[in-house]
Amino acid sequence: EAGVVQSPRYKIIEKKQPVAFWCNPISGHNTLYWYRQNLGQGPELLIRYENEEAVDDSQLPKDRFSAERLKGVDSTLKIQPAELGDSAVYLCASSLREKLFFGSGTQLSVL
Amino acid sequence: SQELEQSPQSLIVQEGKNLTINCTSSKTLYGLYWYKQKYGEGLIFLMMLQKGGEEKSHEKITAKLDEKKQQSSLHITASQPSHAGIYLCGATNQGGSEKLVFGKGTKLTVNP
């Protein structure tokens, strides 16, 4: 069975440019998460979806970040415009019950 | 909000040695997760503990949950270079995995 798939693997952009990340969760997993991990830190939750509904987006910086999960399967996370401080690894995870499975992440560098 | 403190922050051991990583929570633990991460990659699920006193093992890795101390430990026996990576504990202070908070991680280096 395929795991959580994320793309791109790496992204380098200049500040003020837009960027988007894509995630395909494990088939049948209703819950999808986006985490951000800064260097030397643990992952921090940005947003959690139950099917199509964003049930927890309290940590998402809504002035520049947006996310969607159309049809309750794939999800995209967008940053517009990107800032230097957005450089981090963006991780997507999905779960069916208590166990979260993570993708390989997208490593974003904002120059 | 719940905070998790991991110790040590980093650890260098010789191959074959045993080691222990600790994770202490500021609040009551309902679920404690251990993940392993290679640099720049995603998290690999190791174990989940839910009951006080629970202990689980997988190959040479054993994790225990001390509910009273709000603490979990991860023990690796006879470490190998393949054990190297960053070990992260994650915890929930309510039922389910909705509010999974992570510690900062422990970086393990195993020298051959």
Side-chain angles (χ1 to χ4, degrees), chain A residues 30-50:
Chain A
N30 297 329
T31 309
L32 184 146
Y33 312 75
W34 282 103
Y35 279 84
R36 176 171 61 187
Q37 185 176 25
N38 292 311
L39 190 64
Q41 303 293 316
E44 295 178 333
L45 181 68
L46 291 174
I47 189 168
R48 175 171 66 93
Y49 282 92
E50 291 290 347

Side-chain angles (χ1 to χ4, degrees), chain B:
Chain B
S1 62
Q2 184 171 31
E3 293 186 358
L4 296 176
E5 184 173 335
Q6 288 188 235
S7 62
Q9 286 185 322
S10 64
L11 191 56
I12 302 173
V13 300
Q14 205 65 31
E15 182 177 0
K17 296 294 185 183
N18 302 335
L19 63 106
T20 299
I21 298 169
N22 293 304
C23 175
T24 303
S25 172
S26 61
K27 294 189 176 183
T28 302
L29 289 167
Y30 284 88
L32 193 290
Y33 299 72
W34 283 101
Y35 285 85
K36 179 185 175 183
Q37 184 177 31
K38 291 285 191 180
Y39 177 73
E41 297 184 7
L43 281 65
I44 299 170
F45 175 83
L46 295 176
M47 274 170 274
M48 178 177 70
L49 306 167
Q50 291 185 298
K51 301 175 184 177
E54 187 172 18
E55 179 176 323
K56 289 186 177 179
S57 294
H58 177 67
E59 298 180 342
K60 295 184 178 180
I61 301 176
T62 300
K64 299 179 184 179
L65 179 61
D66 187 331
E67 212 168 43
K68 289 183 180 179
K69 291 183 180 180
Q70 298 177 176
Q71 186 177 70
S72 177
S73 60
L74 186 82
H75 184 78
I76 299 177
T77 303
S79 59
Q80 301 169 354
S82 61
H83 287 128
I86 298 170
Y87 289 82
L88 291 150
C89 66
T92 57
N93 61 354
Q94 57 192 59
S97 58
E98 298 88 11
K99 298 289 185 183
L100 188 56
V101 175
F102 285 92
K104 292 183 178 181
T106 294
K107 183 180 178 182
L108 173 64
T109 303
V110 181
N111 291 325

